[in-house]
Amino acid sequence: METLKIDIKNALSFFKKNDFDHYSELTKNADIALKNKTGKGSEFLGWYDLPVKIANSEIAAINAHANDLRKKSDVIVVIGIGGSYLGAKALIEALSGQFDHLTNKPGNPLILFAGQNLSEDYMFELMDFLKDRKFSLIVISKSGTTTEPAVSFRILKNELESKVGKKEASERIIAITDASKGALRSMANQEAYKSFIIDDNIGGRFSVLSPVGLLPVACAGFDIEKIVNGAKDFMYHGNKTELADNHVYTYAAIRHALYKQNKTTEILANFDPRLNYIAEWWKQLYGESEGKENKGIFPASVSFTTDLHSMGQYIQEGLRNIFETVISVEKPKHNLTVPSDPDNFDKLNFLAGKHLDYINKMAELGTMLAHIDGGVPNIKITLPEINEYYLGQLIYFFEKACAISGYLLEINPFDQPGVEEYKRNMFALLDKPGFEEETRKIKERLK
Ligand code: PA5
């Protein structure tokens, strides 16, 4: 089994003399705390062995429901926010052809997302797009009460029911939510929607390898068994207990050592735009897990070479509190070379016959060397290629490293108390019943 690789030689100067033994001990202990469920937030460790626990029968059920929706739909709208949409969106974007959504392939429905914002124009335009198309809905909310997906679902469900009738609509809606709690569970039971359960012990941002991520990905026509197998194989890699051999320990240890030396922003860089949403998923995973108690590395992302022409200047010469983690992909999916041109007006014949990927790789190397020279330590994660199997590995790698990183910071990586703050204000401003006192106070404050 080939695994993704990690290379930290360009950040090693931040490992001080005794750090190696120190972090060997710390990462090992953090892993033991995860395994034995003795660390902070241990009630949310359902993700830890999910790849080996997910039953073949559940994968088969996900595939069966996905195939059913695929047959019925030109478009499948996935409704969710945060951990209830980012993983699915990241995997679908990474695996899809970049212009697939512009052509209509029969039998291959378009996957669109809603409920991840409250923009009236987004929803209006989505409904307009759906007007003459056969569509189905997958609504995902662990709590079943999150405002953004709940409002979007209400609007889209209403549209679907008025188009095809209540009965047919109920056959085109799948809910993924808690087993017993929340408005979405009550609705799913009452309307007899097909549904999947998000286990209580799996937090939203760690749920991509559950039906939350797997159902939309299967609906997009990808092989979810391969994703789970990639994650499973990477779990076995986790049996290596030496820091230098264990990629998860290495990543968690070096980023913590960098953080301790004031490298407080981590930029996840890719050289393939298909990975842009992997970066969005990663930002939520790390930002929401680590950013608490006035601690945590700020997760940022860039897509190169595009962003070398926007953020490159800052990375090269701005405030020196950043380090860079590059996801490098060894093999592209397709082959394309630069043609020779007899006129050579653009003076590019020195590139004739060269693969575009080779030019991209030289940009990657050149960028890394420039940034290292500019004082930006570099961590490199190499994926052999972008496919279901290696993305499964990458997901599990980042999830486990995130949990261990949280323990190194001595915080609970599995809660998100800060997310509630804006909701309280929003409900108060919207006069939600039960928030009368907050409404009075906030209106006073705004006078
Ligand atoms: O990671 C998390 O827990 C959050 O980002 C949630 O996924 C997000 O707030 C959506 O919550 P829910 O699935 O309950 O609607």
Side-chain angles (χ1 to χ4, degrees):
M1 177 224 11
E2 194 176 359
T3 63
L4 60 84
K5 294 188 216 55
I6 181 163
D7 180 355
I8 61 162
K9 67 172 177 295
N10 293 309
L12 261 187
S13 59
F14 285 80
F15 246 10
K16 300 211 197 76
K17 232 173 165 202
N18 300 327
D19 274 354
F20 206 83
D21 292 342
H22 174 64
Y23 279 114
S24 289
E25 178 94 8
L26 286 182
T27 48
K28 222 179 283 180
N29 287 344
D31 201 4
I32 290 169
L34 285 176
K35 230 173 262 162
N36 296 342
K37 300 190 168 46
T38 52
K40 289 183 180 172
S42 59
E43 65 279 26
F44 288 111
L45 287 174
W47 60 271
Y48 185 80
D49 46 14
L50 192 57
V52 287
K53 281 233 170 109
I54 188 161
N56 287 341
S57 55
E58 179 145 30
I59 294 186
I62 293 172
N63 277 327
H65 282 76
N67 285 335
D68 183 46
L69 275 201
R70 278 167 68 78
K71 278 190 211 122
K72 287 182 179 141
S73 330
D74 300 327
V75 182
I76 299 172
V77 184
V78 179
I79 305 167
I81 195 166
S84 290
Y85 104 100
L86 279 165
K89 171 111 172 147
L91 284 170
I92 292 170
E93 289 225 352
L95 292 166
S96 301
Q98 291 169 81
F99 304 98
D100 284 0
H101 61 287
L102 299 178
T103 48
N104 229 355
K105 292 207 183 88
N108 218 14
L110 192 57
I111 310 294
L112 298 179
F113 291 85
Q116 81 284 27
N117 64 58
L118 287 167
S119 159
E120 186 155 340
D121 289 343
Y122 183 96
M123 190 49 95
F124 184 93
E125 287 164 25
L126 174 62
M127 307 253 290
D128 196 44
F129 181 78
L130 294 173
K131 210 166 48 206
D132 302 319
R133 291 176 167 86
K134 266 186 0 193
F135 70 95
S136 303
L137 304 173
I138 298 176
V139 52
I140 309 175
S141 178
K142 182 177 161 155
S143 63
T145 54
T146 307
T147 311
E148 293 90 334
V151 169
S152 303
F153 181 51
R154 178 186 272 232
I155 296 170
L156 287 165
K157 171 177 164 290
N158 181 59
E159 175 74 8
L160 186 59
E161 285 177 350
S162 53
K163 211 169 152 180
V164 299
K166 219 169 155 54
K167 185 173 176 303
E168 170 70 17
S170 75
E171 285 163 17
R172 290 212 221 152
I173 295 174
I174 300 183
I176 308 181
T177 188
D178 188 87
S180 55
K181 294 189 294 285
L184 183 56
R185 170 52 59 198
S186 315
M187 220 189 292
N189 290 346
Q190 194 168 315
E191 307 277 357
Y193 298 149
K194 288 170 204 131
S195 72
F196 287 91
I197 292 168
I198 312 177
D199 286 335
D200 265 352
N201 60 1
I202 301 175
R205 59 191 173 277
F206 286 86
S207 67
V208 52
L209 298 172
S210 78
V212 171
L214 298 180
L215 179 65
V217 173
C219 284
F222 299 111
D223 189 337
I224 56 171
E225 210 173 336
K226 284 190 183 149
I227 296 175
V228 173
N229 283 340
K232 204 188 288 180
D233 285 351
F234 198 79
M235 275 184 77
Y236 298 127
H237 167 83
N239 294 336
K240 297 185 177 167
T241 53
E242 291 312 312
L243 183 110
D245 302 330
N246 185 310
H247 298 341
V248 166
Y249 294 2
T250 304
Y251 180 54
I254 192 66
R255 61 196 295 287
H256 190 260
L258 288 160
Y259 172 70
K260 283 283 166 197
Q261 291 165 77
N262 286 328
K263 299 290 182 193
T264 53
T265 295
E266 176 176 12
I267 302 179
L268 191 72
N270 67 62
F271 283 77
D272 188 321
R274 279 181 300 170
L275 296 177
N276 287 355
Y277 257 89
I278 291 285
E280 295 305 313
W281 168 80
W282 170 89
K283 282 196 280 197
Q284 190 219 358
L285 181 64
Y286 280 77
E288 214 167 84
S289 300
E290 291 190 316
K292 49 196 73 151
E293 297 178 29
N294 299 324
K295 298 184 205 171
I297 296 172
F298 183 81
S301 66
V302 287
S303 184
F304 290 153
T305 62
T306 311
D307 291 337
L308 286 171
H309 300 263
S310 63
M311 295 305 291
Q313 172 61 36
Y314 190 99
I315 297 171
Q316 191 68 44
E317 296 183 346
L319 197 64
R320 300 297 72 190
N321 66 341
I322 52 183
F323 66 99
E324 209 165 34
T325 298
V326 175
I327 303 182
S328 178
V329 181
E330 258 165 11
K331 218 172 88 200
K333 217 157 142 187
H334 307 287
N335 288 314
L336 185 70
T337 54
V338 177
S340 175
D341 182 341
D343 294 325
N344 198 25
F345 289 130
D346 52 13
K347 305 269 185 295
L348 286 179
N349 269 353
F350 74 103
L351 294 176
K354 300 236 174 346
H355 283 271
L356 209 49
D357 188 61
Y358 171 76
I359 302 171
N360 200 21
K361 290 280 185 316
M362 292 308 105
E364 184 180 319
L365 186 57
T367 304
M368 184 180 81
L369 295 173
H371 290 178
I372 293 164
D373 290 346
V376 178
N378 181 283
I379 299 168
K380 182 173 167 183
I381 294 165
T382 304
L383 287 188
E385 55 190 296
I386 298 178
N387 63 22
E388 286 99 329
Y389 180 77
Y390 291 118
L391 288 171
Q393 287 196 10
L394 187 70
I395 281 166
Y396 196 79
F397 163 77
F398 276 139
E399 286 184 346
K400 188 155 176 203
C402 180
I404 291 187
S405 294
Y407 283 173
L408 296 185
L409 279 175
E410 299 178 344
I411 49 97
N412 176 356
F414 307 114
D415 64 1
Q416 54 284 328
V419 180
E420 295 311 309
E421 287 300 313
Y422 95 92
K423 291 185 191 167
R424 246 191 309 277
N425 288 343
M426 179 176 76
F427 292 150
L429 290 164
L430 288 169
D431 293 305
K432 183 172 176 171
F435 285 76
E436 289 76 9
E437 185 51 21
E438 286 90 342
T439 300
R440 190 192 59 72
K441 281 192 190 143
I442 208 160
K443 291 201 170 154
E444 193 62 32
R445 186 175 155 190
L446 293 175
K447 269 185 189 155

